[in-house]
Amino acid sequence: MEDLLLSGYVKQMRKQYGLTQIDLSEKAGVGLRFVRELEQGKQTLRMDKVNQVLNLFGAELAPAPIDKSKLEL
C-alpha cells in the first residue's frame, strides 16, 4: 500500500469495504461528524476514537519513524 495520510487511509479502506460514512460511523461506534472530520484530515481528534475506526480494518495508531533531518531540536 502506498504511503497515505490517516485521512486517505480511512477513506480508501471504507470504500474498499463498500461502506458509506454512515455505515462506518455505526460499525465503529463513533459519530458521523467524527468520521467526516477524520476523512477531511482534522488535526485534533481523539486517539481512542480513531482507533475504534482503525480497528475495523485491522489497524491501530502507533509510533512511526520520521525523517530526523526535519527535527528542530
Side-chain angles (χ1 to χ4, degrees):
M1 179 181 296
E2 67 182 67
D3 188 25
L4 290 175
L5 294 175
L6 180 61
S7 57
Y9 174 80
V10 170
K11 188 172 188 176
Q12 177 180 313
M13 294 302 287
R14 175 178 61 77
K15 289 183 175 189
Q16 180 178 318
Y17 284 92
L19 300 171
T20 65
Q21 288 180 333
I22 294 170
D23 295 334
L24 180 57
S25 70
E26 290 173 354
K27 288 183 181 297
V30 298
L32 177 58
R33 180 177 174 178
F34 181 84
V35 170
R36 289 181 174 155
E37 289 175 344
L38 175 57
E39 288 190 2
Q40 291 170 358
K42 183 177 179 188
Q43 293 186 6
T44 55
L45 293 169
R46 286 183 42 185
M47 289 192 304
D48 61 329
K49 287 188 174 190
V50 172
N51 275 329
Q52 279 179 247
V53 173
L54 292 177
N55 286 339
L56 291 176
F57 307 126
E60 66 182 6
L61 290 175
I66 59 171
D67 182 352
K68 292 183 181 181
S69 67
K70 295 180 181 178
L71 293 177
E72 297 178 20
L73 297 176

